[in-house]
């Protein structure tokens, strides 16, 4: 298994960047990534200083998948997401839309949380279950050069909790080699990621990447052992919700034999929504496979 060590930090999905590794379909790799705070908060008195490091969500990559071409799909099985340093960090951040009610006199709130025995120790009194996820992972678009802040059809900063261990993420390929980037691991994150900062951690992520030739999907999909999940991002969030539902219906129709209007009806009653960063409009919609197994 190849180990991809931390190199220069990437803050864009850059199709002109030299690949850090070239792999074949079916290969399992282990990828080191820095935390979303660019490593600025390592101990209690550290501060997130955007005057020196203005960008967030540094990524490792790109990873070049041999024989991948535009119109193909990557199947990315997330085997494990491990803390590199046995800790994670967070800070209060800018309350943005909440300033109307909370004001703007915001303390840094930066603190480092140990990770041990399956928990994040947020304080002496409060421990949070360790539920690792990748906030930012994506292929590289064929035009433009999106930063690591927004999400889109390529993936990007989706910040949904379902990009986690044991699940398979499907991403469309737009350029030769697909050029996969990843990072922004969280030890845990609440629905909505209110302060725009999860429990950020440097990580070692193990992935198995397979190439699905000549199958183009319109945006990120996730498959768990018991759910089908589609992801959409953008504002207003109502539009992202509609898009994610539509893509799930079309997936059920194309791959599972469902009539789209029956799927539309069923999702009305059994679908669930998982919310990423609320201001970015990122969310996932999902349905249990037990329902999908009976097309109607």
């Amino acid at each position: 298994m190849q180990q991809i060590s931390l190199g220069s930090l990437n803050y864009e999905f850059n199709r002109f960047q030299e690949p850090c590794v070239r792999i074949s379909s079916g290969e399992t790799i282990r990828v080191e990534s820095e935390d979303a705070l660019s490593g600025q908060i390592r101990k209690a008195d550290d501060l997130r200083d955007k005057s020196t490091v203005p960008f967030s969500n540094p990524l490792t990559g790109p990873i070049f998948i041999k024989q991948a071409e535009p119109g193909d799909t990557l199947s990315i099985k997330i085997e494990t997401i491990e803390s590199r340093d046995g800790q994670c960090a967070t800070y209060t951040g800018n309350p943005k839309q909440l300033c109307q009610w909370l004001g703007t006199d915001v303390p840094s709130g930066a603190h480092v949380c140990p990770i041990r025995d399956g928990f994040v120790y947020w304080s002496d009194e409060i421990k949070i279950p360790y539920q690792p996820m990748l906030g930012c992972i994506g292929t590289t678009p064929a035009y433009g050069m999106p930063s690591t802040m927004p999400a889109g059809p390529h993936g990007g900063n989706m910040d949904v909790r379902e990009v986690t261990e044991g699940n398979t993420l499907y991403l469309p390929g737009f350029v030769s080699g697909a050029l996969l980037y990843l990072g922004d691991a969280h030890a845990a994150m609440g629905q909505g990621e209110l302060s725009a900062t999860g429990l950020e951690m440097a990580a070692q992520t193990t992935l198995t990447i397979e190439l699905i030739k000549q199958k183009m999907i319109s945006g990120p999909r996730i498959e768990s052992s018991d759910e089908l999940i589609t992801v959409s991002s953008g504002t207003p969030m109502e539009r992202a919700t509609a898009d994610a539902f539509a893509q799930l219906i079309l997936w059920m129709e194309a791959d599972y034999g469902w009539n789209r209007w029956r799927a539309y009806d069923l999702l009305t009653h059994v679908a669930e929504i998982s919310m990423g960063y609320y201001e970015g409009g990122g969310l996932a919609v999902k349905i249990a496979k037990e329902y999908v197994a009976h097309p109607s």
Side-chain angles (χ1 to χ4, degrees):
M1 179 171 62
Q2 295 193 65
Q3 167 74 49
I4 293 89
S5 298
L6 193 66
S8 60
L9 300 181
N10 297 287
Y11 295 92
E12 295 175 317
F13 289 87
N14 184 349
R15 63 187 179 279
F16 303 112
Q17 178 85 14
E18 182 66 23
C20 65
V21 68
R22 295 171 184 264
I23 66 169
S24 300
S25 177
E27 205 167 327
T28 298
I29 58 175
R30 184 173 167 86
V31 183
E32 180 183 6
S33 61
E34 185 53 273
D35 68 33
L37 310 175
S38 299
Q40 285 195 315
I41 301 177
R42 288 281 191 254
K43 55 188 186 302
D45 57 351
D46 287 343
L47 296 175
R48 174 72 171 103
D49 184 359
K50 291 190 176 183
S51 69
T52 58
V53 184
F55 307 115
S56 298
N57 307 323
L59 303 178
T60 299
I63 298 163
F64 186 101
I65 294 83
K66 297 174 185 176
Q67 299 183 331
E69 298 295 339
D72 296 340
T73 291
L74 293 188
S75 166
I76 305 160
K77 175 69 179 297
I78 302 171
E79 309 287 0
T80 60
I81 305 171
E82 301 167 282
S83 170
R84 187 190 68 187
D85 307 320
Q87 65 180 37
C88 55
T90 190
Y91 75 113
T92 307
N94 184 345
K96 296 185 179 178
Q97 295 186 41
L98 278 69
C99 292
Q100 176 183 347
W101 300 278
L102 305 183
T104 57
D105 186 16
V106 187
S108 165
H111 62 291
V112 175
C113 308
I115 302 170
R116 62 178 184 271
D117 306 321
F119 289 95
V120 175
Y121 286 79
W122 188 81
S123 70
D124 291 339
E125 297 79 21
I126 297 174
K127 61 182 183 180
I128 299 169
Y130 178 67
Q131 297 176 315
M133 54 169 279
L134 291 176
C136 195
I137 179 172
T139 53
T140 299
Y143 57 90
M145 201 173 295
S147 76
T148 58
M149 292 303 290
H154 66 294
N157 191 32
M158 297 179 286
D159 273 332
V160 293
R161 300 193 298 184
E162 289 72 17
V163 184
T164 189
E165 294 177 325
N167 289 357
T168 298
L169 171 66
Y170 300 96
L171 292 173
F174 303 100
V175 298
S176 179
L179 300 182
L180 180 72
Y181 290 85
L182 63 107
D184 185 25
H186 299 177
M189 188 194 81
Q191 297 277 0
E193 197 187 19
L194 182 59
S195 74
T197 305
L199 290 163
E200 311 289 349
M201 68 177 186
Q204 295 279 2
T205 301
T206 302
L207 309 166
T208 300
I209 301 174
E210 295 188 1
L211 182 61
I212 304 174
K213 293 295 295 180
Q214 298 180 340
K215 180 179 177 63
M216 188 63 173
I217 57 177
S218 59
R221 297 175 175 179
I222 304 168
E223 187 171 356
S224 72
S225 60
D226 55 4
E227 291 177 320
L228 299 181
I229 305 157
T230 50
V231 182
S232 186
S233 302
T235 55
M237 188 168 277
E238 294 91 339
R239 184 63 180 172
T241 305
D243 178 62
F245 269 117
Q247 297 311 319
L248 184 52
I249 290 167
L250 294 174
W251 187 8
M252 292 169 65
E253 180 182 60
D255 290 7
Y256 294 91
W258 274 81
N259 173 279
R260 65 178 57 182
W261 299 115
R262 293 287 284 174
Y264 168 70
D265 186 359
L266 179 64
L267 285 169
T268 302
H269 314 300
V270 302
E272 295 187 3
I273 292 177
S274 176
M275 189 177 180
Y277 175 39
Y278 82 101
E279 193 173 67
L283 59 87
V285 300
K286 47 193 180 179
I287 184 173
K289 286 182 177 177
E290 64 181 282
Y291 297 116
V292 179
H294 305 287
S296 177

